[in-house]
Each structure stands twice: as C-alpha cells, then as structure tokens.
C-alpha cells in the first residue's frame, strides 16, 4: 500500500508565507513526477506546480515567481514554499504523483495517479 500525506496548511495573513510538505509512506522504490494541485471553494482543481524525477520544475502563471517546488528523493518528500500569499490562494492543496512503485518481499506494485488527502490553506486577515 502507498499513501501521500500532506502537512503545513493553516491560516496565514495576506502577504505571508507557508511551506507545505508531502511525504510518501510505504516501501517506496521510486516516485515519478510530483505535483501540487489546489481546489478552491466552488472551483475546479488546478495544477499549481510540478517537478520531475530529475528536478525539472514547472509552475502555473499564478504561482510563478511566488512559489517554489522541491523534492527530496532520499526522503520521498515534496515541498511547496509559498510566498506573498493572497486570499485567492485559499484552497485545499493536494500532492499528487503520476506513478509510485512499491516493493515488498513478495510483490512489486505500480500505483498510478496517486493523490493525498489534502491540506487546507486559508489566507485571510
């Protein structure tokens, strides 16, 4: 079994910063590209940032210049440093990966399109 667990969400004032983290649990052999998505109330889920297995990053227009995505392959984690937050950034943030390979003594399993449960970020005075 594999699980993605986000942390770091909370309440922050406009102009402030937050750092989100996501850790993959289980007997992880490899993780493909990692992403951060978000979903605001009444809106569709959107891609915020992504990072490939070898560290190439991409950002949405709204995130570019304010957010930084990074990963630690040794720890099976991905982070999103969010700066200059505004109320429009309020959303549930989800980490996601295209593929996770999990191994055990008796099996090798590939999990596709894996999502975390999300962490709420609220930007408000």
């Amino acid at each position: 079994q594999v699980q993605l667990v986000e942390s770091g969400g909370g309440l922050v004032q406009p102009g402030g910063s937050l750092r989100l983290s996501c850790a993959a649990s289980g007997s992880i052999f490899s993780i493909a590209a990692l992403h951060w998505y978000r979903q605001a109330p009444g809106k569709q889920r959107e891609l915020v940032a992504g990072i490939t297995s070898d560290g190439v990053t991409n950002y949405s227009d709204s995130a570019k210049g304010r957010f930084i995505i990074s990963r630690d392959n040794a720890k099976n984690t991905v982070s999103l440093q969010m700066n200059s937050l505004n109320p429009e950034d309020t959303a549930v943030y989800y980490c996601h990966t295209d593929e996770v390979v999990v191994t055990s003594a008796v099996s090798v399993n590939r999990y596709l399109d894996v999502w975390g449960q999300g962490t709420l970020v609220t930007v408000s005075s």
Side-chain angles (χ1 to χ4, degrees):
Q1 191 69 26
V2 66
Q3 184 175 342
L4 299 179
V5 181
E6 302 96 337
S7 63
L11 176 64
V12 64
Q13 294 183 348
S17 298
L18 278 178
R19 184 177 178 87
L20 306 181
S21 296
C22 173
S25 62
S27 299
I28 307 299
F29 180 78
S30 65
I31 305 178
L34 285 156
H35 313 94
W36 285 98
Y37 286 79
R38 69 185 182 188
Q39 187 165 23
K43 297 186 179 298
Q44 294 184 336
R45 190 170 299 184
E46 64 173 342
L47 177 65
V48 178
I51 183 167
T52 68
S53 60
D54 57 352
V56 178
T57 61
N58 65 87
Y59 299 92
S60 68
D61 289 340
S62 64
K64 190 173 300 182
R66 298 190 300 136
F67 296 179
I68 300 174
I69 187 171
S70 61
R71 67 187 291 163
D72 186 334
N73 290 334
K75 297 181 179 180
N76 297 316
T77 60
V78 61
S79 297
L80 184 68
Q81 177 66 46
M82 304 187 295
N83 303 312
S84 301
L85 288 163
N86 58 66
E88 288 69 39
D89 296 315
T90 295
V92 176
Y93 285 71
Y94 300 88
C95 65
H96 166 270
T97 186
D98 295 328
E99 181 182 67
V100 182
V101 179
V102 180
T103 63
S104 70
V106 297
S107 66
V108 178
N109 296 103
R110 281 180 164 82
Y111 295 85
L112 305 179
D113 196 28
V114 180
W115 295 87
Q117 292 187 238
T119 185
L120 176 63
V121 173
T122 303
V123 184
S124 176
S125 298

